[in-house]
Amino acid sequence: MGEDLQEQSLSELIAAINEIPAISADGLKNAMFPDDLIASLHNHLGNANQFVSSSKEAMNGAEQFMAQESAQKELGEVDSDLFKDHQTHLISDAEYNRLAAKVRRAIELLSDAEDPEYT
């Protein structure tokens, strides 16, 4: 159940990012020389998505813990990239606040799922 919430939360974050033309995946694909900041954002977002999927298929608690920790770190980088996007005026205050809240929610869901024996 928690894994489904993690995936749903991440899917909502990805969809919300892709709704903003300045930082969407489609905008990145159509650029001859993509902005490094936007490329970094999507790289970290893709990595987080992969780690969340990997944690669902983990063979044991240690693998699951490592995947969730890695996903949290990648989402931290997503948050950092979004902040930079906001500072460079690629996204508005409202867009940044909405996306940052979604990032925090995804990180909280991952953090809540961790087994305290492994922390």
Side-chain angles (χ1 to χ4, degrees):
M1 176 87 169
E3 293 162 345
D4 293 336
L5 285 175
Q6 291 170 359
E7 286 181 333
Q8 179 184 359
S9 176
L10 199 52
S11 293
E12 289 172 5
L13 174 62
I14 292 168
I17 287 173
N18 284 324
E19 288 174 1
I20 303 171
I23 60 171
S24 72
D26 288 338
L28 185 64
K29 291 176 189 171
N30 294 329
M32 184 178 289
F33 299 104
D35 185 289
D36 290 343
L37 185 55
I38 298 169
S40 174
L41 170 68
H42 287 279
N43 182 52
H44 292 299
L45 197 55
N47 290 346
N49 194 30
Q50 181 62 41
F51 284 126
V52 167
S53 295
S54 295
S55 74
K56 191 173 183 178
E57 299 168 4
M59 298 293 282
N60 57 45
E63 281 184 15
Q64 184 177 32
F65 172 78
M66 289 172 46
Q68 289 173 339
E69 283 286 309
S70 296
Q72 287 179 55
K73 288 178 185 173
E74 292 294 336
L75 286 170
E77 292 298 323
V78 167
D79 189 44
S80 176
D81 287 343
L82 287 171
F83 181 73
K84 291 172 191 169
D85 288 337
H86 175 253
Q87 293 297 315
T88 58
H89 304 290
L90 283 173
I91 58 176
S92 69
D93 291 342
E95 290 169 330
Y96 170 70
N97 291 333
R98 182 173 55 94
L99 294 173
K102 288 185 180 298
V103 170
R104 283 190 299 274
R105 172 75 173 138
I107 291 172
E108 287 172 10
L109 287 170
L110 286 164
S111 179
D112 290 347
E114 287 180 354
D115 187 341
E117 284 188 31
Y118 290 103
T119 57

